[in-house]
Amino acid sequence: MRGVLFDGRRTEVVDDLEVRDPGPGEVRVAISAAGLCHSDLSVVDGTIPFPVPVVLGHEGAGVVEAVGAGVSHVRPGDHVALSTLANCGACAECDRGRPTMCRQAIGRPGQPFTRDGRPVFQFASNSAFAERTVVKAVQAVRISKDIPLTSAALIGCGVLTGVGAVLNRAKVDRGDSVLVIGTGGIGLNVLQGARIAGALRIVAVDANPAKEAVARQFGATHFLTSVQGVRDVLPTGADHAFECVGRVELVRAAIDSLDRHGQAVLLGVPPATAEASFLVSSLYLDKSVLGCRYGSSRPQRDIPLYAELYREGRLLLDELVTETYPVEDFEKAVADAEAGRVARGVLTFGRA
C-alpha cells in the first residue's frame, strides 16, 4: 500500500505500508484525495513535534471499505470526508458540544499502520496520505456522492478550521469588519466564512500581490500587501482580526489592529516555544485574544452543513483546488505549496 512516510530525517512515498482491519467503533476508508496542508509540512520541519515514523496527511476524503462492530452511521460504499477529531463522545467536553476540547483526542497518536512488521504512527488520528486508513467512526462523516472527492477532502481541515473560526469561535455577525492576515488555504476559508456570516468590510493582507484576485473571489472587499495600511481602510480598527500565518510579529499586528471590543483569533502555527508580546493596556477596551483549535468545530454537524453550502453555491471548494497531483508527485506538491503557487494542492490515489 502506498503512503507518504516521514521517518524523522526524510519524507518519501513508500509502497509497502500495511493497515489493520477496523476494530469496534472504527472505519477503514480507501482514500481518494487528500489536501496538502502546512501542518503536514510543520511535522517535517519540527514546528509540530510528532513521533516517528509517521504517515502524514490529515485532510482527506474517500470511500468506506469496511466498518467495525457497532458502526451504523456509515457503511461500505459511502463517500466520507474525514475529520481529525478522534473524540470519545462521552466526556464532559463532548457532552457540552466541544469535541475539540476532548482530552481523548489530543496527544494520543495511534499506530494502525505497519511497515516491515514494525508499527507506524498515524498523524492527527487520520493519515490521509495513504491509500487506506483506519479512523474512529466519529471521524467519518458521510457526504453526498455528487460532491467531487478532490473538493470534499478540503472540508476536513482547511474549511472546518477557517470557516469554523469565523462562525463558531469569533461568531462574526452581519455588518462586522474583519481583517484576515495571510491568504493561504486557511485564510481563504476565513475570508469566505466572513462573507457567509455577512461581514461588511473584509480586509485581506498578504505580502504576495498575486493573491489579490483569489482573495477577492473568496470574499475580500479590500486587499493590502502590508498590515501598515489597515488603518487607512478601517480607521477605528477591526471587529475581528484573524492571524493565519503563524508569525509572532503578525500576532502583535492583529491585536494592534482591533477596534473597541474587538477580538484577535490566532490560527497560524508558530514554533511550539514561540512567545508573542503586546501592550497590556491595548486590551482594556474589552478586546480579546482568542486561541482556536480546529475551528471550534463539531464535524458531524459542520461537515454536512458546509457540504450543503457548497451544493448551494455559497461555499467555494472547487476554487480552492489549484492543482492535483498523483501521490508519487508529493515532492512537487510540497515545492508548489512552499512557493505559494497554490491555494491548496491535492494528492490523489486514482479514485477521485
Side-chain angles (χ1 to χ4, degrees):
M1 183 181 77
R2 293 171 296 166
V4 179
L5 184 78
F6 175 58
D7 65 4
R9 300 182 306 278
R10 66 190 186 108
T11 306
E12 62 177 328
V13 179
V14 301
D15 61 7
D16 55 352
L17 287 172
E18 295 183 5
V19 66
R20 62 173 172 77
D21 291 333
E26 294 182 332
V27 177
R28 188 175 71 224
V29 177
I31 299 294
S32 296
L36 176 60
C37 175
H38 279 282
S39 294
D40 299 303
L41 304 181
S42 293
V43 173
V44 176
D45 68 22
T47 301
I48 297 178
F50 206 88
V52 293
V54 58
V55 177
L56 298 175
H58 65 286
E59 186 181 67
V63 180
V64 174
E65 274 196 343
V67 301
V71 177
S72 59
H73 75 289
V74 293
R75 59 186 180 182
D78 283 346
H79 286 199
V80 292
L82 301 182
S83 86
T84 68
L85 286 182
N87 58 295
C88 71
C91 68
E93 298 295 350
C94 287
D95 194 49
R96 290 171 182 153
R98 301 191 300 209
T100 58
M101 296 296 103
C102 175
R103 297 181 190 277
Q104 299 297 319
I106 302 174
R108 300 188 181 195
Q111 294 176 301
F113 304 100
T114 56
R115 187 184 186 211
D116 295 329
R118 293 187 290 271
V120 176
F121 285 102
Q122 183 175 44
F123 178 53
S125 301
N126 191 308
S127 287
F129 292 168
E131 288 191 83
R132 293 172 180 80
T133 191
V134 170
V135 298
K136 292 187 66 171
V138 72
Q139 296 175 254
V141 184
R142 188 171 62 238
I143 56 173
S144 173
K145 291 183 179 180
D146 63 359
I147 301 177
L149 289 170
T150 48
S151 298
L154 304 186
I155 301 176
C157 178
V159 175
L160 280 177
T161 299
V163 178
V166 174
L167 301 182
N168 300 329
R169 187 63 167 133
K171 301 186 186 301
V172 172
D173 201 358
R174 290 168 296 175
D176 284 354
S177 59
V178 173
L179 169 65
V180 181
I181 302 175
T183 60
I186 299 300
L188 290 176
N189 280 297
V190 173
L191 288 172
Q192 69 172 333
R195 170 177 51 78
I196 291 168
L200 184 61
R201 285 176 293 176
I202 306 172
V203 182
V205 177
D206 199 293
N208 183 354
K211 292 188 175 182
E212 179 173 0
V214 70
R216 290 186 180 275
Q217 179 184 21
F218 275 74
T221 60
H222 299 76
F223 183 88
L224 304 170
T225 56
S226 169
V227 291
Q228 303 304 317
V230 171
R231 290 284 177 171
D232 294 332
V233 180
L234 302 173
T236 62
D239 295 315
H240 312 273
F242 295 84
E243 201 283 336
C244 306
V245 180
R247 287 168 43 189
V248 294
E249 66 272 22
L250 295 178
V251 171
R252 171 64 183 266
I255 295 169
D256 289 346
S257 74
L258 296 176
D259 196 356
R260 298 182 179 194
H261 208 273
Q263 51 188 9
V265 183
L266 309 186
L267 298 176
V269 183
T273 57
E275 297 182 359
S277 64
F278 56 89
L279 294 174
V280 175
S281 60
S282 70
L283 299 185
Y284 288 159
L285 292 173
D286 285 359
K287 300 178 185 180
S288 305
V289 181
L290 305 179
C292 182
R293 181 169 189 256
Y294 204 41
S296 301
S297 296
R298 287 181 274 174
Q300 288 288 344
R301 177 201 68 170
D302 291 347
I303 289 177
L305 169 63
Y306 299 155
E308 190 58 31
L309 287 172
Y310 164 79
R311 297 180 73 203
E312 292 179 359
R314 298 170 60 191
L315 184 138
L316 306 181
L317 290 179
D318 303 338
E319 295 82 357
L320 283 168
V321 183
T322 312
E323 189 74 46
T324 59
Y325 310 82
V327 68
E328 288 80 9
D329 287 347
F330 174 75
E331 291 299 331
K332 184 178 187 301
V334 170
D336 287 348
E338 291 181 333
R341 289 189 286 266
V342 294
R344 217 37 151 216
V346 175
L347 301 179
T348 62
F349 291 88
R351 305 184 185 93

